[in-house]
């Protein structure tokens, strides 16, 4: 701001500084959400991905006599930091520090949350085609503590992975019906020839019943150890998809669809099975201090969903009331 602009700004009323609240008191969080801002995401290597994010930025208000905070300062610091830096733990810690420095005597806690879609180009299962997959992501960082007692930095990361789940119970029931149909069709043949059996299996009578399967979603939220490295977003997504084995596909030719059917048949899963697979992935990562994960199978048999939730449970930060951790939704 040049001198004329400074003098002009000095003439404008500043109610947040000049007025006192009608009812005094401290506030846990004050700020803005759904702030639109572009971001650059580090993918754990030299690659970066661009995304359009929605930001939530907060500081607390510890001065009970203060009317309010300086929201424009939060916005300008957010815009400046993310324009100059790709998303990383270091960048988020820096902007939180700037939030607190810009609110000395007013705040000693700051929080930022960024929600965006990570677009990743994925190869098909068998064919040489590629397609784009969208992964909803949330990055949450919090800086706590006054200047003289040190500041604690906490980071969280949330992703959603879509996959297919075929019901093991339904598969067993379908197999039984196919066996019964086989017994009926070949009742008069003591030893049916291989060619006849093969033809029967390749016809509609060989699939007289099919197990039900459905699109499913794994919502995973983790608390990370403090680090200056890139957020392990793509690495975590890849490990979850490998564990589940049936991630939904983008580009699909007939050979890819056949390979997907094979994967579903080899990975029959209740929601409990999927949740245990995910817990194994998260338990094996030393960077993850705590986690909350929910598997939802959007049933094709029922009008309701089957749900399983697993947690590491080392803190109260993920304690759910209705199955969803605090802060998962705005």
């Amino acid at each position: 701001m040049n001198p004329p602009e400074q003098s002009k700004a000095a003439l404008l009323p500043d109610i947040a500084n000049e007025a006192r609240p009608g009812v005094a008191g401290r506030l846990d969080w004050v700020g803005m959400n759904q702030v639109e801002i572009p971001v650059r995401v580090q993918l754990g290597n030299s690659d970066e991905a661009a995304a359009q994010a929605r930001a939530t930025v907060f500081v607390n208000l510890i001065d009970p006599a203060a009317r309010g905070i300086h929201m424009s300062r939060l916005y300008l610091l957010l815009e400046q930091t993310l324009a100059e830096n790709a998303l990383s733990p270091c960048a988020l810690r820096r902007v939180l520090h700037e939030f607190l420095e810009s609110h000395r005597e007013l705040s000693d806690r700051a929080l930022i949350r960024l929600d965006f879609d990570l677009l990743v180009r994925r190869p098909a299962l068998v064919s040489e085609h590629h397609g784009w997959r969208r992964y909803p992501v949330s990055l949450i960082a919090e800086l706590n503590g006054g200047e003289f007692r040190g500041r604690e930095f906490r980071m969280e990361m949330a992703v959603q992975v879509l996959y297919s789940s075929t019901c093991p119970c339904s598969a067993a029931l379908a197999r039984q019906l196919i066996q019964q149909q086989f017994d009926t069709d070949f009742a008069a043949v003591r030893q049916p020839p291989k060619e006849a059996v093969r033809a029967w299996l390749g016809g509609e009578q060989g699939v007289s019943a099919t197990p039900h399967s459905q699109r499913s979603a794994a919502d995973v939220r983790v608390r990370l150890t403090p680090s200056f490295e890139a957020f392990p977003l793509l690495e975590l997504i890849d490990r979850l998809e490998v564990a589940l084995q049936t991630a939904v596909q983008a580009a699909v030719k007939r050979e890819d669809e056949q390979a997907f059917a094979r994967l579903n048949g080899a990975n029959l899963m209740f929601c409990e099975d999927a949740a245990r697979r995910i817990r194994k992935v998260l338990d094996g990562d030393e960077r993850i201090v705590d986690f909350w994960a929910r598997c939802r199978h959007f049933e094709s048999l029922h009008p309701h969903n089957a749900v399983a939730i697993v947690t590491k449970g080392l803190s109260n930060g993920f304690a759910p009331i209705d199955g969803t951790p605090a802060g998962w939704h705005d």
Side-chain angles (χ1 to χ4, degrees):
M1 186 182 297
N2 57 42
E5 290 175 331
Q6 288 179 343
S7 58
K8 182 178 179 181
L11 298 176
L12 299 174
D14 187 354
I15 298 300
N17 275 336
E18 298 169 1
R20 291 293 175 257
V23 178
R26 299 187 177 198
L27 298 175
D28 294 332
W29 293 114
V30 186
M32 300 169 287
N33 70 352
Q34 298 297 319
V35 178
E36 300 172 352
I37 190 163
V39 295
R40 291 177 289 121
V41 187
Q42 291 182 343
L43 298 179
N45 47 37
S46 58
D47 295 333
E48 289 186 357
Q52 181 67 31
R54 300 167 307 284
T56 296
V57 290
F58 285 139
V59 293
N60 63 344
L61 186 56
I62 59 176
D63 183 353
R67 182 72 177 274
I69 67 165
H70 306 283
M71 293 195 185
S72 62
R73 296 180 186 178
L74 300 185
Y75 180 89
L76 295 174
L77 289 168
L78 174 73
E79 196 281 332
Q80 178 182 351
T81 301
L82 296 188
E84 296 175 352
N85 301 276
L87 279 182
S88 68
C90 185
L92 294 190
R93 181 164 187 158
R94 174 183 170 185
V95 72
L96 290 175
H97 175 77
E98 295 295 333
F99 284 175
L100 294 183
E101 288 299 306
S102 70
H103 284 75
R104 283 179 173 268
E105 312 301 329
L106 291 179
S107 307
D108 63 2
R109 295 166 60 206
L111 180 145
I112 181 171
R113 169 175 171 161
L114 294 163
D115 297 290
F116 56 90
D117 291 334
L118 181 66
L119 285 174
V120 182
R121 193 165 186 258
R122 296 295 203 185
L125 287 173
V126 178
S127 68
E128 296 181 355
H129 299 286
H130 287 74
W132 290 95
R133 287 283 300 110
R134 178 183 68 89
Y135 299 94
V137 170
S138 295
L139 299 179
I140 307 164
E142 185 177 346
L143 193 58
N144 292 320
E147 181 179 359
F148 298 105
R149 59 188 176 93
R151 289 176 174 171
E152 176 192 8
F153 180 58
R154 300 202 318 179
M155 296 187 303
E156 295 176 15
M157 182 175 74
V159 299
Q160 183 184 82
V161 171
L162 296 180
Y163 61 101
S164 173
S165 59
T166 302
C167 175
C169 181
S170 179
L173 295 172
R175 288 194 298 267
Q176 184 185 55
L177 288 175
I178 293 171
Q179 288 175 326
Q180 291 172 355
Q181 187 65 47
F182 181 88
D183 291 339
T184 299
D185 292 349
F186 289 93
V189 183
R190 181 176 180 82
Q191 290 185 333
K194 175 182 176 181
E195 292 77 11
V197 174
R198 187 175 187 277
W200 185 90
L201 290 172
E204 290 186 2
Q205 65 271 33
V207 285
S208 54
T210 59
H212 72 81
S213 59
Q214 51 272 319
R215 187 183 301 173
S216 306
D219 301 308
V220 177
R221 183 170 175 176
V222 300
R223 178 163 296 142
L224 300 168
T225 57
S227 170
F228 292 103
E229 299 178 359
F231 287 101
L233 276 173
L234 191 54
E235 180 183 349
L236 177 60
I237 290 170
D238 287 344
R239 292 183 63 195
L240 292 171
E241 289 190 341
V242 168
L244 292 167
Q245 285 292 300
T246 54
V248 299
Q249 302 295 302
V252 176
K253 299 292 285 183
R254 280 179 295 176
E255 57 267 39
D256 303 308
E257 187 170 358
Q258 185 180 63
F260 191 66
R262 181 184 294 112
L263 286 171
N264 274 266
N267 292 276
L268 305 176
M269 284 186 288
F270 294 121
C271 61
E272 298 93 330
D273 299 314
R276 292 184 179 109
R277 291 187 182 195
I278 288 175
R279 180 171 59 189
K280 184 177 180 181
V281 169
L282 302 179
D283 272 333
D285 195 326
E286 295 181 351
R287 297 167 296 185
I288 296 176
V289 177
D290 202 359
F291 62 77
W292 179 98
R294 174 182 61 190
C295 292
R296 292 177 292 162
H297 290 188
F298 309 119
E299 293 277 350
S300 59
L301 174 63
H302 305 290
H304 52 262
N305 304 331
V307 182
I309 295 173
V310 291
T311 66
K312 193 162 189 174
L314 295 183
S315 72
N316 294 323
F318 298 137
I321 297 175
D322 62 350
T324 304
W328 184 269
H329 302 291
D330 285 340

